[in-house]
Amino acid sequence: MNNNEERTLSIIKPDAVERNLENNIKNFFSNNSLRIVDSKKIQITKEEAEEFYKVHQSKPFYNDLCSYLSSGPIVVIILEGQNAISENRRLMGATDPKKAEKGTLRFLYGISIDKNSVHGSDSLDNAKKEIDFFFKN
Ligand code: CDP
Ligand code: MG
């Protein structure tokens, strides 16, 4: 990877997989200079979701969030590119689709704050941890 090149983790959440948006979302990344290094469709257990989202364990939405992420298939993706972490966050838009900027993934596809179609790592440290969580053998 060159200077400023990073890797980040994206998740296509159950609401988007269910609506067959996997290819649309992958093409959106590719068309915006984020390369797909690896991806797989999986379903995780509630316990795995609790581990993945443990930074949010004190939040009122934690239990529902973990139930939701484990409720159906998801697609986990390693994205790579210039400033991939912040670039992916920009392409995703605000957490609440109602507040997401026009043209962002959550503007286009998000249903509600909980069913907001995509996850993206928020820092270099978390990107490394989250990629390892799903892709370390
Ligand atoms: O996903 P993002 O990093 O934008 O938001 P977050 O603050 O890290 O929250 C993680 C996830 O929890 C969000 O993507 C939402 O799906 C969910 N959430 C929720 O259900 N209700 C909230 N009030 C805030 C977040
Ligand atoms: Mg977050």
Side-chain angles (χ1 to χ4, degrees):
M1 290 191 284
N2 304 324
N3 276 351
N4 299 322
E5 291 270 312
E6 294 171 346
R7 286 184 175 189
T8 190
L9 185 87
S10 169
I11 303 177
I12 305 178
K13 294 185 179 182
D15 66 274
V17 174
E18 190 175 80
R19 286 175 287 150
N20 293 313
L21 293 169
E22 176 178 353
N23 287 337
N24 295 37
I25 292 173
K26 284 181 166 175
N27 288 334
F28 188 93
F29 290 136
S30 302
N31 291 335
N32 285 282
S33 305
L34 290 178
R35 302 182 293 278
I36 293 168
V37 174
D38 204 352
S39 89
K40 58 187 177 186
K41 187 187 276 186
I42 56 173
Q43 183 160 1
I44 60 171
T45 64
K46 179 144 188 219
E47 289 70 31
E48 288 169 321
E50 286 167 353
E51 175 65 19
F52 180 76
Y53 271 132
K54 72 172 182 248
V55 292
H56 291 306
Q57 63 193 343
S58 64
K59 310 270 174 61
F61 56 83
Y62 179 64
N63 185 56
D64 287 347
L65 174 62
C66 297
S67 296
Y68 172 62
L69 197 72
S70 57
S71 68
I74 59 174
V75 179
V76 291
I77 304 169
I78 301 175
L79 294 173
E80 184 180 87
Q82 294 273 314
N83 305 307
I85 296 159
S86 58
E87 190 55 11
N88 179 40
R89 298 285 310 184
R90 188 180 71 78
L91 296 173
M92 285 163 58
T95 306
D96 183 351
K98 292 200 293 285
K99 296 178 184 159
E101 201 171 319
K102 211 173 168 182
T104 60
L105 284 169
R106 284 165 165 171
F107 174 88
L108 290 168
Y109 302 127
I111 295 168
S112 55
I113 192 160
D114 46 329
K115 295 186 174 175
N116 59 6
S117 303
V118 282
H119 165 85
S121 310
D122 63 3
S123 67
L124 194 56
D125 195 39
N126 284 336
K128 291 197 172 101
K129 284 185 196 155
E130 292 180 0
I131 288 170
D132 276 355
F133 186 88
F134 288 110
F135 289 95
K136 207 167 186 171
N137 302 311

